[in-house]
Amino acid sequence: CFVFRDELSLLSLVCWENSTKMRTSFGFRRTYKYLRKCPLSLHRDVRIVRVNYKTNGNNSHGLRRFIYENVPQLQFGHPRVQILREKNMPGHPSITVFFVDGKRREIDCDFKAVPDILRRLESVAGDIFDENTLVPTNPADFIWYGFNKSCICESPGQHPCSSCPTPASLKGQWNKLL
């Protein structure tokens, strides 16, 4: 049983109990804001990423940091990609990427830092953006969405806007055309 001298100590105890999950060594990795900041976008043909590392030794220190910092973000950003972690397997520290068509690419991570590993993984399995497939930043440009019109008011059933000439049938002058 706790005896509280004032309301401030009660408030601090309640706040401490709510934040005990965030006080762990990996609490920040559970936050939604951290998980959304995925450092790279994997190609849609990537199905499995296998990470082989050693738990001791300096040759896989960068890969251990990559697993600690970036693998949760990759798992959150790409739920259909299976990420396998293999500890202390024979061989050198590496990342193997398996694609849908059966190809596999291996990335050597021996004595590499985290930015080098990310750069190499992006060059091997990163999503390549083509300028022709990008959606424009202007949402009013309807040509990109499969419409052969420059404005939505040119579609049937839409009220015309001020940038396009109003048809005579909507001006009330349609009976003069008869």
Side-chain angles (χ1 to χ4, degrees):
C1 180
F2 292 103
V3 177
F4 299 102
R5 295 185 183 192
D6 55 358
E7 295 177 9
L8 184 60
S9 59
L10 175 64
L11 181 62
S12 64
L13 178 66
V14 170
C15 292
W16 181 80
E17 287 177 351
N18 291 339
S19 66
T20 53
K21 292 180 182 175
M22 297 305 291
R23 290 179 183 237
T24 61
S25 62
F26 54 88
F28 70 95
R29 295 186 306 160
R30 295 181 186 175
T31 62
Y32 182 70
K33 184 178 179 181
Y34 177 77
L35 292 175
R36 288 201 52 194
K37 291 192 300 185
C38 190
L40 63 105
S41 177
L42 295 177
H43 196 268
R44 65 174 179 255
D45 291 340
V46 175
R47 288 296 173 243
I48 301 172
V49 176
R50 183 176 66 193
V51 182
N52 182 11
Y53 67 102
K54 310 286 185 199
T55 55
N56 53 7
N58 290 335
N59 61 342
S60 62
H61 177 71
L63 196 55
R64 287 194 303 265
R65 293 301 301 172
F66 172 77
I67 289 170
Y68 180 78
E69 295 171 359
N70 300 112
V71 166
Q73 293 173 336
L74 285 174
Q75 286 177 333
F76 182 80
H78 309 284
R80 294 184 180 168
V81 176
Q82 182 180 8
I83 298 178
L84 302 173
R85 294 176 216 151
E86 297 179 345
K87 293 182 186 178
N88 299 323
M89 297 296 285
H92 60 280
S94 64
I95 296 175
T96 310
V97 180
F98 295 91
F99 294 92
V100 173
D101 56 357
K103 290 192 314 183
R104 69 185 207 177
R105 303 280 308 267
E106 188 167 346
I107 302 168
D108 182 27
C109 299
D110 206 11
F111 293 103
K112 299 272 169 88
V114 175
D116 298 332
I117 293 171
L118 282 171
R119 196 175 311 116
R120 184 72 177 129
L121 186 61
E122 185 176 14
S123 67
V124 169
D127 198 8
I128 301 169
F129 292 109
D130 187 16
E131 292 181 9
N132 297 332
T133 61
L134 289 177
V135 177
T137 57
N138 185 4
D141 194 3
F142 297 102
I143 296 173
W144 288 83
Y145 298 106
F147 301 112
N148 291 328
K149 298 166 178 33
S150 62
C151 186
I152 193 65
C153 69
E154 295 176 8
S155 298
Q158 299 292 328
H159 187 73
C161 63
S162 60
S163 65
C164 299
T166 307
S169 61
L170 293 177
K171 289 183 181 177
Q173 300 171 357
W174 59 273
N175 56 358
K176 294 180 183 176
L177 297 174
L178 295 176

